[in-house]
Amino acid sequence: MEFNDLFNNLHSASDTQGISKSEDVDLDNILCFLANGYAVEYIIVNQRKKVLRFIDPDQFLLRISDNTSVDLYGNIETVNITFDDIVIMLRKFPEETVAFHKKIKLDYLEKLQLYKDDLKKTAAERYLDLLENKPWVMQLIEPEVIASYLNLSKEQYDMLILSIRNVND
């Protein structure tokens, strides 16, 4: 299997390359690909969860520091890429692996920039974006978690929902 095949089709690549495919997620791995299910990335601030982003299937889960964590939702299936897997890939595909790492890093930095840009929007705008782009969030995620993402208290979140419903009626 070629390098591009490995990363363009991680669902089946794990069966042929020895990369572990699992329903047990080990987020201590260097890299984890979310094949099925959903995730919420958050950071602990003042002993409370602050949601950074909601993660759809077919995305990588990267912990950027010891303070960040990920909660998983739904029928979870991951492809875990360990340090040993990366060493093997570097030996077999040295140029492609470096380019792949750069792409993952740039994608993640782009997502962080989108998060920063998102903070400039009002809570109502961010909520409507969630409804449109990530409808699964409203079905799977607790209101307190969504409120955290919107930088609202639970009470403020409830008032926001009521005001949006009143506008739409």
Side-chain angles (χ1 to χ4, degrees):
M1 178 175 279
E2 294 297 316
F3 182 85
N4 287 338
D5 296 333
L6 174 66
F7 287 105
N8 289 336
N9 193 2
L10 277 170
H11 296 278
S12 61
S14 61
D15 298 330
T16 59
Q17 290 292 322
I19 296 172
S20 59
K21 191 171 186 177
S22 175
E23 292 180 12
D24 298 322
V25 181
D26 180 7
L27 295 175
D28 290 330
N29 282 334
I30 290 175
L31 197 56
C32 182
F33 180 77
L34 185 61
N36 290 311
Y38 302 94
V40 175
E41 180 181 8
Y42 63 90
I43 189 166
I44 302 297
V45 179
N46 296 329
Q47 299 178 345
R48 298 180 69 183
K49 288 182 182 181
K50 170 60 185 116
V51 175
L52 299 174
R53 67 186 181 117
F54 297 103
I55 304 167
D56 296 315
D58 294 329
Q59 291 188 22
F60 287 93
L61 306 176
L62 302 171
R63 288 185 61 210
I64 57 172
S65 77
D66 288 340
N67 294 333
T68 61
S69 294
V70 175
D71 285 342
L72 302 166
Y73 296 85
N75 186 16
I76 303 300
E77 184 178 38
T78 63
V79 178
N80 298 317
I81 303 173
T82 64
F83 181 78
D84 291 339
D85 295 327
I86 291 174
V87 169
I88 290 167
M89 287 186 293
L90 279 169
R91 287 184 181 142
K92 190 170 181 180
F93 308 105
E95 293 173 18
E96 293 93 338
T97 304
V98 172
F100 177 72
H101 176 265
K102 185 176 180 181
K103 180 186 181 323
I104 291 174
K105 181 179 176 181
L106 290 174
D107 285 351
Y108 193 78
L109 290 174
E110 181 181 315
K111 287 182 175 87
L112 286 178
Q113 185 60 48
L114 289 173
Y115 172 73
K116 288 179 184 178
D117 293 343
D118 217 25
L119 290 175
K120 296 174 186 171
K121 297 178 183 176
T122 67
E125 291 170 328
R126 294 178 81 204
Y127 178 78
L128 293 173
D129 283 348
L130 275 180
L131 284 176
E132 183 179 330
N133 299 317
K134 298 187 181 297
W136 63 268
V137 170
M138 302 308 157
Q139 297 169 354
L140 295 177
I141 308 300
E142 301 85 12
E144 294 81 10
V145 175
I146 299 170
S148 168
Y149 175 75
L150 298 173
N151 295 319
L152 299 174
S153 68
K154 173 67 170 81
E155 295 75 23
Q156 291 170 318
Y157 175 74
D158 291 339
M159 290 173 37
L160 173 70
I161 301 301
L162 283 175
S163 67
I164 290 174
R165 286 184 185 155
N166 289 337
V167 169
N168 290 334
D169 288 343

